[in-house]
Amino acid sequence: MVLADEKEYMLDFFKEKGFTRKKGKRCGEYFWTLNPDFEEPQDTPCVDYWFDKIPSRDPLTVGEAREEFLSFFEEHGHARIKPRPVVARWREDLYLTIASIVVFQPHVTSGVVPPPANPLTISQPSIRLEDIDNVGLTIGRHLTSFEMAAHHAFNYPDKKVYWKEETVRYAYEFFTERLGIPGEYIVFKESWWEGGGNAGSSFEVTVGGLELATLVFMKYRVVDGRYEEIPLKIVDTGYGVERMAWFTQKTPTAFHAIYGRLLDKYREALGVEEPSKDLLWAAFRAAGNLEPEDPASVEAYYKRVSSLSGIPIDEARSVLEREARLYSIIDHAKTIALMLGDGVVPSNTGEGYLARLVIRRALRQARLLGVEISLAELVDWQVDYWRRDYPQLEENRDYIIDAVQWEEKRYRETLARGEALVRKLLRKKKKLALDDLVKLYDSHGIPPEIVASVAEKMGVPVEIPHNFYSIVASRHKAPQRVRRVGESANIPEEIAEWALQYPPTRKLYYENQYMREFTAKVLGVKGEYLILDRTAFYPTGGGQLHDTGTIEWEGGKARVVRVEKVNDRVIHIVKTEGPSGPTPGSTIKGSIDWARRYRLMRHHTSTHIILGAARRVLGNHVWQAGAEKTPEKARLDITHHKPLTREEIRRIEELANSIVDDRRKLRFMELPRNEAEEKYGFRIYQGGVPMTPTIRLVEIPGWDVEACGGTHLEHTGEVGAIKIIGAYRIQDGVVRLEYVAGTRVYEEAARLEDKILNLSETLNANPNNLEARAKTLVDELRELQAKYKRLLEEKVASLERELENARIVIAEAPDTDKRVLQEIMKKLTSRVADGIVVFYYSVNGQVQVELAAGPKASVNLGKLVRELAGKLGGRGGGGKTRASLRVPREKLGELITMIKNSLSR
């Protein structure tokens, strides 16, 4: 830990109230206290939990603790703002909301966007999975989901709001006045915070072993290990809402305080008996020093619990392990409800991967308790319990339950096939490392306990780390790479740097999306790259392809083959038709390929319509996972946990076309970011998150609103019509819809019509009777297949009788399908153990020979076919009881003779 100069912690507030600065005798950390008896900073592991002995106000539920906090800071001049989803939709470098400051990163903290209020207060539901394996074991110190109540102040160079003095005073007054904690029990421990490239001094507010709040003063950026002061200084606080409830309720675990009677309901359903109060309170005293990753610490914990409770250590361990599983299941069930309620779709990537990880760990804990129970039912109880606190849970209840049921089904399927996959791997590897375990989980969903079980049976050593799921979660907590602001994947870096020297390009394609021609001044030329002062050429972006067309100047002409954008500079890639191109300062006339552009506009507007329709048919969990608009067709990738049914596809298509018929006029707006988010929510970020203070919104009134930089039609009627031409899963949790609009619908209909006519000619049927004709042919085919099967069975019976008599059968193959042949040969040689079967058939002017021998036949077929291949100029191979050979057709007679002679010896 890096500590700031002690002056960072010397506050007038401490002097005013009579606080003393001390250094902990055991932990060596500095802290401020009013209590002359305190020799440690009142935080675990420096001291045990003993806050149950400290006076406080009447018990508070989680909701009451939240309201006490928010109302206190409202009364002290802070604006209350709504919490954001637990999925960080506004961030491209993070999947989940892990703290309240995440709400304001990176746009506010970087100074690009002002905060929605200043100062402000918020209680933000958050999810952290890095310590998921510790949940339950530490009786409440670790949770996967929790609320971080906070107050924030953003201090600009020209506007200071407040800093350390006021922040510490607020904390002291809140805890003493609202929670009723006597001041002599409150400790401010000096600390240092770093994260996300920023750093600053901090105080941890601890009472009776429990950390109730952290007060961070974000003052520096970290550059190559150095600390540089930043102009925007941020007060970043975090108060544990669940911990405040636990503190006031004085229960032995946080789970008793958070869930109350719901914990009893889970206990009964999972078959976990209530431990004695002596055992629970002994665990409470000892848990502060427990470090679950350290086996020695775990053993010391159980020994101390046993000593404090008088219960034998083995019994104490057994009971507390079951308690930990109970606590982890109730915790995970809430987290699952929150994630799915905010639209996460379980999958193998991104936030969907993390949701599946929590679901599967909950299912694993239930299995380890030895109970078969519906996780969906347990999650449904969480929806009932929290629906007033988090209204989105009730709103999306049907999806939440359906998705969990689907995941339970898939988990069972994974377990069914998991053992075979593990056995296959263990035959190749004599030892499995952590990376092998993670790969088995990532690629196949096989949990580590299945691996351990199979490995034990096979005598292969496997060590499963206690924190396996925490390790996996940490590897998937954020995207591997995030594109930098202004970076373009399609432009060389040196060209991007060159373009940035010019002023932003005026975007005529926004001012008039129907503009076909324009004039502009050339600002810069570098090879095939051209910068204009203004342009109507749309650059690739938001899933929409760039425009093409031409530019002309006095004495020359060029084709515009591609258009890209770096920040606000539009770069044209041109192919000059002549000896020289345009020069800086010259005037050009640009002409858009309008037919191409109009198709792109139709497909882009169709994409917004389709997304709105999919959300209404499938549920609020539908989010755009990708999109592309080309002149030929458009595609939209949406998050959804199941393959689409034909009925769902038809309903999406019907709804979409009803919006086309409604001729709704599109609205285009530039709004400040905070206003856009407040008015329309975070669903506007379907195609990415612009790093700008203002956002361009495209609205189809009453249907869809998105942050979008693409070109669109004036009203939905111009789309003409929409036809979905494909719907299929492209990966776990993502469904792709492909569709066409406008005149492309006619072209697609004509293509399908040609297929129908060609098929009609092939089947010799009237197009209107094609279905009936196809059904007749299918029925006839099935009848022929049944007849063929009977004949084949008769042939096999005949061959079996011949084999029983002669012990060798050489015959033309009854079928040329290798799988059918292998099945026939397997059946014959299993019934006649010393029999030998040889089948042959023609393949491309050659003869293919398949040979099989029973387990008691005295022959090595592999050796035989290699000898025959050498003599007859063919090729072959195989093992003792199964072999194949291919020779020229004219050698068939000679081959049969040689086989008979060889096998008769």
Side-chain angles (χ1 to χ4, degrees):
M1 181 191 297
V2 177
L3 286 177
D5 188 287
E6 64 180 48
K7 293 179 182 178
E8 294 271 4
Y9 305 100
M10 302 291 181
L11 303 183
D12 290 340
F13 169 80
F14 291 145
K15 186 184 297 184
E16 171 195 326
K17 292 291 183 181
F19 276 79
T20 302
R21 186 176 190 247
K22 294 184 175 183
K23 184 177 182 180
K25 291 186 176 180
R26 177 183 173 189
C27 296
E29 297 173 313
Y30 288 97
F31 62 98
W32 294 84
T33 179
L34 293 170
N35 197 317
D37 297 328
F38 284 172
E39 295 183 348
E40 299 295 340
Q42 300 305 297
D43 189 17
T44 58
C46 302
V47 299
D48 292 337
Y49 287 141
W50 65 283
F51 61 83
D52 58 310
K53 308 296 185 185
I54 296 176
S56 64
R57 62 160 295 163
D58 294 338
L60 296 173
T61 64
V62 169
E64 290 167 345
R66 177 198 309 122
E67 184 55 36
E68 282 292 338
F69 179 89
L70 294 173
S71 60
F72 173 85
F73 281 96
E74 274 189 311
E75 292 168 11
H76 288 78
H78 294 67
R80 182 189 301 208
I81 67 168
K82 295 178 182 178
R84 290 199 178 187
V86 296
V87 192
R89 304 284 188 189
W90 59 96
R91 294 280 294 268
E92 293 186 343
D93 60 340
L94 201 62
Y95 293 131
L96 300 175
T97 308
I98 59 173
S100 62
I101 192 63
V102 169
V103 170
F104 311 104
Q105 292 172 325
H107 309 93
V108 175
T109 56
S110 64
V112 172
V113 178
N118 197 12
L120 58 84
T121 186
I122 184 174
S123 187
Q124 176 61 46
S126 305
I127 293 177
R128 292 182 188 173
L129 303 180
E130 287 82 354
D131 295 310
I132 188 171
D133 293 291
N134 296 341
V135 172
L137 295 171
T138 56
I139 72 168
R141 185 174 8 133
H142 297 98
L143 304 170
T144 58
S145 56
F146 56 93
E147 280 194 48
M148 182 178 285
H151 62 98
H152 296 282
F154 302 88
N155 297 282
Y156 294 88
D158 58 346
K159 182 186 178 183
K160 180 183 176 183
V161 182
Y162 63 77
W163 195 231
K164 295 179 184 179
E165 294 283 354
E166 298 87 342
T167 301
V168 172
R169 185 181 298 275
Y170 281 140
Y172 182 81
E173 291 178 356
F174 172 74
F175 286 125
T176 55
E177 296 173 11
R178 290 302 181 96
L179 294 195
I181 303 173
E184 62 266 26
Y185 294 104
I186 299 172
V187 166
F188 293 88
K189 185 176 78 172
E190 297 178 8
S191 188
W192 181 261
W193 175 90
E194 287 192 24
N198 294 113
S201 59
S202 65
F203 289 105
E204 295 172 9
V205 187
T206 59
V207 184
L210 189 64
E211 182 184 335
L212 291 175
T214 302
L215 317 175
V216 174
F217 305 99
M218 200 182 296
K219 183 179 179 181
Y220 304 99
R221 69 166 60 92
V222 184
V223 181
D224 298 328
R226 294 177 291 102
Y227 297 98
E228 297 179 356
E229 195 164 330
I230 54 178
L232 175 57
K233 296 176 176 58
I234 301 170
V235 172
D236 171 23
T237 67
Y239 289 64
V241 176
E242 288 82 2
R243 291 190 177 194
M244 289 190 282
W246 187 15
F247 185 93
T248 60
Q249 290 187 43
K250 308 289 191 284
T251 55
T253 79
F255 303 98
H256 289 78
I258 297 167
Y259 297 103
R261 291 182 180 177
L262 184 61
L263 181 62
D264 298 331
K265 192 173 181 179
Y266 270 68
R267 187 182 295 281
E268 182 179 355
L270 294 167
V272 180
E273 293 184 12
E274 176 111 32
S276 69
K277 289 185 178 179
D278 287 344
L279 182 63
L280 282 178
W281 281 109
F284 172 84
R285 298 280 176 243
N289 287 283
L290 172 60
E291 296 298 333
E293 296 87 356
D294 180 6
S297 174
V298 174
E299 188 62 23
Y301 165 71
Y302 287 126
K303 284 182 179 178
R304 186 156 183 239
V305 170
S306 175
S307 173
L308 291 170
S309 65
I311 296 173
I313 186 170
D314 290 342
E315 181 183 344
R317 179 186 288 107
S318 175
V319 172
L320 291 178
E321 283 179 352
R322 288 181 65 79
E323 279 294 291
R325 300 197 197 288
L326 165 67
Y327 300 153
S328 65
I329 290 171
I330 197 169
D331 166 273
H332 292 5
K334 178 188 178 185
T335 299
I336 292 163
L338 288 172
M339 294 180 81
L340 272 56
D342 276 338
V344 176
V345 173
S347 68
N348 285 334
T349 59
E351 63 271 14
Y353 177 97
L354 298 175
R356 175 168 290 166
L357 181 145
V358 180
I359 290 170
R360 293 195 169 182
R361 189 175 189 277
L363 290 168
R364 174 200 177 214
Q365 295 299 310
R367 281 173 59 86
L368 292 173
L369 283 174
V371 295
E372 289 293 332
I373 192 167
S374 166
L375 179 61
E377 184 177 6
L378 299 181
V379 172
D380 197 34
W381 295 348
Q382 295 282 352
V383 174
D384 282 334
Y385 192 76
W386 296 105
R387 58 194 175 91
R388 292 179 182 84
D389 298 84
Y390 313 115
Q392 70 272 23
L393 300 187
E394 181 63 43
E395 182 182 348
N396 298 311
R397 182 195 291 262
D398 290 346
Y399 160 67
I400 293 171
I401 303 310
D402 188 53
V404 176
Q405 289 173 338
W406 181 258
E407 284 299 301
E408 288 186 86
K409 174 178 176 288
R410 297 200 58 182
Y411 182 70
R412 289 191 294 269
E413 292 169 352
T414 295
L415 295 182
R417 69 173 188 273
E419 289 196 16
L421 285 168
V422 175
R423 279 195 298 271
K424 184 178 179 181
L425 177 63
L426 289 176
R427 290 190 194 103
K428 299 178 182 177
K429 304 187 78 166
K430 297 304 179 185
K431 186 176 181 182
L432 294 185
L434 175 61
D435 285 345
D436 296 312
L437 296 174
V438 173
K439 185 175 181 181
L440 281 168
Y441 182 82
D442 279 353
S443 302
H444 304 287
I446 301 172
E449 67 270 14
I450 296 296
V451 181
S453 174
V454 176
E456 185 179 358
K457 294 173 185 175
M458 297 180 66
V460 177
V462 175
E463 185 176 341
I464 309 292
H466 154 76
N467 59 335
F468 174 81
Y469 288 90
S470 300
I471 292 168
V472 172
S474 66
R475 293 187 181 188
H476 292 266
K477 65 183 178 181
Q480 294 298 307
R481 182 180 184 276
V482 180
R483 183 174 296 177
R484 299 189 303 272
V485 178
E487 180 183 2
S488 172
N490 302 317
I491 291 293
E493 188 175 344
E494 65 272 15
I495 298 299
E497 292 176 357
W498 164 77
L500 290 174
Q501 69 180 297
Y502 297 103
T505 308
R506 181 179 168 187
K507 303 172 186 66
L508 300 176
Y509 50 80
Y510 285 158
E511 297 177 18
N512 180 359
Q513 296 180 90
Y514 289 78
M515 181 180 291
R516 305 187 188 194
E517 295 182 342
F518 68 98
T519 59
K521 179 182 177 182
V522 177
L523 297 182
V525 180
K526 191 176 182 68
E528 62 180 356
Y529 300 97
L530 178 69
I531 298 256
L532 305 174
D533 66 335
R534 58 183 189 165
T535 187
F537 284 99
Y538 180 79
T540 296
Q544 178 177 326
L545 279 183
H546 56 82
D547 285 331
T548 61
T550 61
I551 60 169
E552 299 178 49
W553 61 94
E554 187 174 350
K557 183 178 181 180
R559 289 180 297 113
V560 178
V561 296
R562 190 157 58 90
V563 189
E564 303 291 342
K565 188 175 74 167
V566 175
N567 281 359
D568 283 328
R569 285 75 173 173
V570 177
I571 304 172
H572 307 74
I573 295 88
V574 300
K575 298 295 182 185
T576 303
E577 299 176 359
S580 60
T583 56
S586 61
T587 299
I588 62 95
K589 175 186 175 183
S591 301
I592 309 296
D593 181 341
W594 177 248
R596 184 178 185 278
R597 157 73 84 79
Y598 196 57
R599 283 190 170 187
L600 286 166
M601 290 166 67
R602 276 178 152 170
H603 281 148
H604 202 149
T605 301
S606 298
T607 298
H608 288 224
I609 295 173
I610 286 279
L611 181 58
R615 189 181 303 122
R616 284 161 177 81
V617 171
L618 303 175
N620 287 329
H621 62 279
V622 169
W623 279 75
Q624 178 177 311
E628 183 180 48
K629 304 93 183 176
T630 70
E632 292 72 36
K633 65 178 180 180
R635 66 165 172 83
L636 174 67
D637 300 337
I638 57 172
T639 54
H640 188 57
H641 56 299
K642 292 180 177 178
L644 299 188
T645 64
R646 184 186 298 183
E647 180 186 356
E648 288 169 337
I649 296 167
R650 185 61 53 84
R651 285 170 58 202
I652 292 170
E653 193 173 71
E654 287 174 353
L655 265 181
N657 279 291
S658 72
I659 298 302
V660 173
D661 289 343
D662 211 29
R663 295 178 62 83
R664 299 190 187 188
K665 186 174 177 61
L666 275 69
R667 295 179 59 214
F668 305 94
M669 301 166 279
E670 289 270 353
L671 291 182
R673 180 184 215 91
N674 290 324
E675 183 181 341
E677 292 174 351
E678 176 67 25
K679 188 172 183 180
Y680 297 107
F682 304 104
R683 197 170 287 281
I684 59 176
Y685 299 129
Q686 295 290 332
V689 186
M691 188 69 174
T692 53
T694 59
I695 298 175
R696 180 180 187 258
L697 297 174
V698 176
E699 179 183 17
I700 301 175
W703 191 253
D704 181 77
V705 185
E706 296 179 38
C708 180
T711 57
H712 286 272
L713 305 168
E714 285 189 352
H715 59 79
T716 60
E718 282 191 73
V719 170
I722 298 173
K723 178 62 187 171
I724 296 175
I725 59 173
Y728 50 92
R729 297 178 77 188
I730 60 169
Q731 67 183 55
D732 208 18
V734 179
V735 174
R736 173 166 292 175
L737 294 168
E738 294 182 338
Y739 42 94
V740 292
T743 53
R744 282 290 293 121
V745 174
Y746 150 73
E747 293 171 1
E748 187 64 22
R751 184 181 68 83
L752 294 175
E753 185 179 39
D754 287 342
K755 278 191 172 185
I756 291 170
L757 292 174
N758 292 336
L759 188 58
S760 299
E761 290 178 8
T762 301
L763 300 180
N764 192 25
N766 186 303
N768 295 325
N769 298 326
L770 197 56
E771 285 182 288
R773 177 60 175 155
K775 185 178 183 302
T776 299
L777 289 173
V778 169
D779 291 342
E780 291 176 358
L781 176 61
R782 286 173 179 163
E783 187 177 342
L784 288 171
Q785 286 173 332
K787 287 180 180 179
Y788 174 75
K789 185 178 180 181
R790 288 195 297 273
L791 289 171
L792 187 60
E793 288 172 352
E794 292 173 6
K795 178 66 174 175
V796 171
S798 173
L799 290 168
E800 185 179 342
R801 290 192 295 271
E802 183 179 347
L803 186 61
E804 287 174 346
N805 293 329
R807 293 297 184 265
I808 298 173
V809 167
I810 302 175
E812 186 170 355
D815 198 301
T816 57
D817 187 312
K818 269 200 169 187
R819 288 174 300 178
V820 174
L821 271 186
Q822 288 172 3
E823 188 62 33
I824 292 172
M825 297 169 84
K826 181 180 178 182
K827 187 182 295 185
L828 290 172
T829 54
S830 64
R831 293 177 180 176
V832 183
D834 60 347
I836 299 170
V837 180
V838 181
F839 287 144
Y840 57 87
Y841 57 94
S842 296
V843 178
N844 300 326
Q846 294 185 308
V847 175
Q848 178 71 26
V849 184
E850 299 293 335
L851 304 91
K856 295 184 179 180
S858 57
V859 66
N860 187 323
L861 295 181
K863 182 179 179 182
L864 173 62
V865 298
R866 285 189 287 273
E867 291 175 358
L868 294 173
K871 293 176 181 178
L872 298 174
R875 63 183 187 276
K880 183 179 179 182
T881 60
R882 184 76 179 85
S884 299
L885 174 67
R886 184 171 290 194
V887 298
R889 181 180 294 172
E890 61 271 16
K891 302 282 188 178
L892 177 59
E894 188 178 351
L895 171 66
I896 292 173
T897 300
M898 292 176 71
I899 291 175
K900 285 180 178 179
N901 291 338
S902 297
L903 296 179
S904 62
R905 290 200 296 268

